[in-house]
């Protein structure tokens, strides 16, 4: 099956702890993205990566970190510096937008993180 | 400021009825406009993508229209089914930035039997 997977589906953490969300794709896409979704709001871009070993901050990168050591994987760490981490996190991938085009993004099923 | 506004926020209709969802945007320069369907607790799934030169595109019972002059789009759902219950999100891409997608907040559609 080709697709993009995220794990776990639900994650609970205590305030002050870092937590890492997994995202894996076997679509052979160069570009990967992390979004945050809050009730009543549009998706907001946290980080994106066009190619292995390269990534860029999105609109709300503060309190988050990422790595892109493999083409298939783009894990997101929610650090204790993120002031309001409870949210639904979505990972996506696409053909690389290196030529300036905006290609269709394919989304994973999401991880719902609750921090108390 | 680049923005995407959707209306209504939520909508309840009976199974079998048609409905139309609206999207207004102020994104410039415009690249393309997409409609996504998002089931509760799931990732969005693309329904249609339209560029500047396209003013209508269909995907089964879903038909999207685009008026680039008035910066408006609509998504029409024909003969609704219970499985159409979901949030429908309008997303506009700005041409000058590789990754700038401006997401609307979505319309939550509930189909009642």
């Amino acid at each position: 099956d080709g697709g993009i997977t995220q794990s776990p589906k639900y994650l609970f953490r205590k305030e002050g702890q870092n937590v890492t969300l997994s995202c894996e794709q076997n679509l052979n896409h160069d570009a990967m993205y992390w979004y945050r979704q809050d009730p009543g709001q549009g998706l907001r871009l946290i980080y994106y990566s066009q190619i292995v070993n390269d990534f860029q901050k999105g609109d709300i990168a503060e309190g988050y970190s990422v790595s892109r050591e493999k083409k298939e994987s783009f894990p997101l760490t929610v650090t204790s510096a993120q002031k309001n981490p409870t949210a639904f996190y979505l990972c996506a991938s696409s053909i690389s937008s290196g030529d300036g085009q905006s290609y269709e993004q394919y989304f994973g099923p999401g991880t719902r993180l609750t921090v108390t | 400021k680049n923005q995407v506004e959707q209306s209504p926020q939520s909508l309840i209709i009976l199974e079998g009825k048609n409905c139309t969802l609206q999207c207004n945007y102020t994104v410039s320069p415009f690249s393309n406009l997409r409609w996504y369907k998002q089931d509760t607790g799931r990732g969005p799934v693309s329904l249609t993508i339209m560029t500047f030169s396209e003013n209508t595109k269909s995907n089964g019972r879903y038909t999207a229209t685009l008026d680039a002059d008035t910066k408006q789009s609509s998504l029409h759902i024909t003969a609704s089914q219970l499985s159409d219950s979901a949030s429908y999100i309008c997303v506009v891409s700005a041409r000058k930035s590789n990754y700038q997608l401006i997401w609307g907040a979505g319309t939550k559609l509930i189909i009642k039997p």
Side-chain angles (χ1 to χ4, degrees), chain B residues 11 18 38-39 45 62 68-69 75-76 87 90 103-104 108 113:
Chain B
L11 182 62
N18 303 338
Q38 184 178 23
D39 292 317
V45 174
Y62 300 101
D69 291 332
L75 180 69
H76 185 76
S87 287
C90 177
W103 292 76
K108 187 172 177 62

Side-chain angles (χ1 to χ4, degrees), chain B:
Chain B
K1 181 182 174 184
N2 287 332
Q3 281 188 314
V4 174
E5 303 283 344
Q6 292 188 244
S7 62
Q9 273 191 324
S10 61
L11 182 62
I12 302 173
I13 64 171
L14 292 175
E15 186 179 10
K17 298 295 187 183
N18 303 338
C19 67
T20 300
L21 314 181
Q22 300 291 342
C23 173
N24 296 338
Y25 62 93
T26 57
V27 177
S28 181
F30 175 87
S31 176
N32 59 61
L33 183 146
R34 315 157 187 220
W35 282 94
Y36 280 87
K37 178 186 178 187
Q38 184 178 23
D39 292 317
T40 301
R42 308 287 295 175
V45 174
S46 178
L47 293 175
T48 64
I49 299 178
M50 288 185 291
T51 60
F52 186 87
S53 59
E54 297 173 295
N55 56 22
T56 187
K57 184 167 275 191
S58 291
N59 178 358
R61 294 180 296 103
Y62 300 101
T63 299
T65 65
L66 173 64
D67 185 336
D69 291 332
T70 62
K71 298 188 178 182
Q72 295 180 325
S73 176
S74 65
L75 180 69
H76 185 76
I77 304 174
T78 304
S80 61
Q81 300 176 359
L82 296 178
S83 59
D84 292 331
S85 293
S87 287
Y88 292 85
I89 307 173
C90 177
V91 188
V92 181
S93 173
R95 185 162 14 103
K96 64 181 178 182
S97 171
N98 287 357
Y99 301 102
Q100 188 176 19
L101 297 182
I102 297 91
W103 292 76
T107 291
K108 187 172 177 62
L109 177 64
I110 298 172
I111 311 297
K112 293 211 161 187

